[in-house]
Amino acid sequence: MKSFINVEDIGDLQKALAEAQEIKNDRYKYQHLGRNKTLMMIFFNNSLRTRLSTQKAAMNLGMNVIVLDVNAGAWKLETERGVIMDGDKSEHLLEAIPVMGCYCDLIGVRSFAGLTDREYDYAETVLNQFIKYSGRPVFAMETATVHPLQAFADLITIEEHKPVERPKVVLTWAPHCRALPQAVPNSFAQWMNAANVDLVITHPEGYELDPKFIGNARVEYDQKKAFEGADFIYAKNWSNPGVTNPADYGKITSKDMSWTVDTEHMSWTNNGKFLHCLPVRRNLIVTDDVIESPNSLVIPEAANREISCSVVIKRMLESL
């Protein structure tokens, strides 16, 4: 596996889930693969779970790890071609990337959407430059449009806790005070479409995700109808994707607090389990009582980030 961005990159999902369980049973089984190999983790944005879980996974596999925070301790990087670099950016990404590649065997990249230029974000401009110029296998640690390590961990968690063979899974929009990217809901929808689940996506009108991520999911604008009989509720805010109105891209066009997931919302489900990628704004996305309830899986879900990343890094090491 030379790159990991979308669900197609992981191949057969059942094999990937079986591999995840194998690694969960013995996290150090494949330490020999990473011996004398180096992972470079490059962060253009903040991180807690992704940073810790990815570094832990790499160490479990015997790797050395270099962590680079681009905006804290490195030269500021220019990402656009043709720019006269007479501002505060001292180095161009096109020189920095191949230099980074000289010092490692694998590269993980985290670079969020700017939420001002939809075409630029959805072209995955930064990530694709790493793939093109680094000379190394590259995996996404959340990009402008996707977060596959999170979605894989979500799927592992659902697989471990599903009450029926084909559970009903609901991805629900919830309000937020800041404009957030669509990466997590995009990947969640993409991975659930590829899995054996009944996926429903619910959100206010105008918040439609890109059709390539919605896939075969049913879109339901009535949140109560969407929740009825659900086995899993995945709550997440996203800013306007600009699908129905490109001028709204990246904007907050609804702050409807009736979409906050509370005990009444969960009562509409089939004793549903609650999921969220974290960090979460309590009492905006979800109320205290729901996230602290026995049906909340947010901590096991976060723990599975180590497992999803282990599978991906293992496969990349095997391809070297």
Side-chain angles (χ1 to χ4, degrees):
M1 187 162 62
K2 296 298 184 183
S3 62
F4 177 72
I5 305 168
N6 297 306
V7 67
E8 294 84 2
D9 298 323
I10 204 71
D12 186 297
L13 276 184
Q14 289 307 308
K15 289 182 179 178
L17 288 167
E19 200 167 330
Q21 188 57 56
E22 178 190 24
I23 287 173
K24 199 164 189 176
N25 292 337
D26 183 356
R27 296 167 198 241
Y28 307 102
K29 181 176 181 179
Y30 296 101
Q31 260 191 344
H32 62 282
L33 290 175
R35 190 174 298 123
N36 298 326
K37 299 289 195 305
T38 299
L39 167 66
M40 182 174 288
M41 299 163 57
I42 300 162
F43 291 89
F44 290 84
N45 302 94
N46 294 338
S47 174
L48 189 151
R49 276 148 298 278
T50 296
R51 180 188 295 260
L52 297 178
S53 62
T54 305
Q55 187 164 356
K56 181 66 165 61
M59 292 167 66
N60 291 351
L61 290 162
M63 299 190 77
N64 304 310
V65 181
I66 299 172
V67 179
L68 178 66
D69 287 296
V70 172
N71 296 317
W75 299 115
K76 289 187 177 181
L77 296 177
E78 179 57 63
T79 60
E80 297 286 342
R81 301 182 92 101
V83 173
I84 297 174
M85 292 176 57
D86 59 356
D88 65 343
K89 296 177 180 177
S90 305
E91 185 162 8
H92 203 287
L93 204 60
L94 295 181
E95 284 79 63
I97 289 172
V99 168
M100 295 174 193
C102 293
Y103 306 141
C104 64
D105 300 280
L106 304 180
I107 295 177
V109 179
R110 184 175 179 91
S111 178
F112 291 175
L115 296 180
T116 57
D117 184 337
R118 190 180 194 279
E119 184 177 351
Y120 180 88
D121 287 345
Y122 274 72
E124 290 291 3
T125 306
V126 173
L127 178 69
N128 284 325
Q129 288 184 82
F130 276 92
I131 293 171
K132 185 174 182 179
Y133 298 113
S134 70
R136 303 298 181 195
V138 175
F139 63 92
M141 299 192 301
E142 187 169 359
T143 72
T145 66
V146 292
H147 197 353
L149 290 173
Q150 179 64 55
F152 188 13
D154 298 335
L155 179 59
I156 294 168
T157 308
I158 288 170
E159 186 72 13
E160 291 174 334
H161 294 273
K162 65 183 184 182
V164 293
E165 185 60 27
R166 184 176 171 82
K168 180 179 178 181
V169 178
V170 177
L171 169 62
T172 181
W173 179 92
H176 202 282
C177 54
R178 296 180 59 196
L180 300 183
Q182 298 103 45
V184 169
N186 282 347
S187 277
F188 185 78
Q190 184 186 56
W191 282 69
M192 292 304 112
N193 269 302
N196 185 30
V197 307
D198 175 18
L199 176 63
V200 178
I201 303 174
T202 185
H203 53 72
E205 291 193 41
Y207 271 82
E208 293 79 9
L209 298 173
D210 191 293
K212 70 179 180 181
F213 295 112
I214 293 174
N216 296 320
R218 176 165 61 91
V219 176
E220 173 57 69
Y221 298 109
D222 185 322
Q223 194 184 28
K224 184 173 183 178
K225 286 183 180 178
F227 274 46
E228 288 174 353
D231 299 296
F232 295 92
I233 299 297
Y234 196 103
K236 184 69 180 77
N237 173 266
W238 60 91
S239 61
N240 197 303
V243 173
T244 56
N245 184 1
D248 285 337
Y249 175 64
K251 295 180 180 178
I252 298 174
T253 51
S254 176
K255 291 185 177 180
D256 187 349
M257 291 290 289
S258 70
W259 286 77
T260 300
V261 179
D262 60 15
T263 301
E264 181 184 356
H265 286 71
M266 295 303 292
S267 73
W268 305 332
T269 71
N270 180 33
N271 194 32
K273 306 294 185 183
F274 178 81
L275 297 164
H276 189 279
C277 61
L278 302 180
V280 65
R281 300 266 186 157
R282 286 181 175 226
N283 303 306
L284 272 178
I285 300 289
V286 58
T287 56
D288 291 331
D289 51 349
V290 170
I291 198 169
E292 294 174 8
S293 77
N295 278 15
S296 174
L297 297 177
V298 296
I299 303 305
E301 183 183 4
N304 278 330
R305 290 293 308 279
E306 177 187 343
I307 306 305
S308 65
C309 194
S310 295
V311 174
V312 170
I313 293 176
K314 170 185 174 288
R315 291 189 174 192
M316 287 193 152
L317 287 170
E318 289 171 336
S319 73
L320 293 178

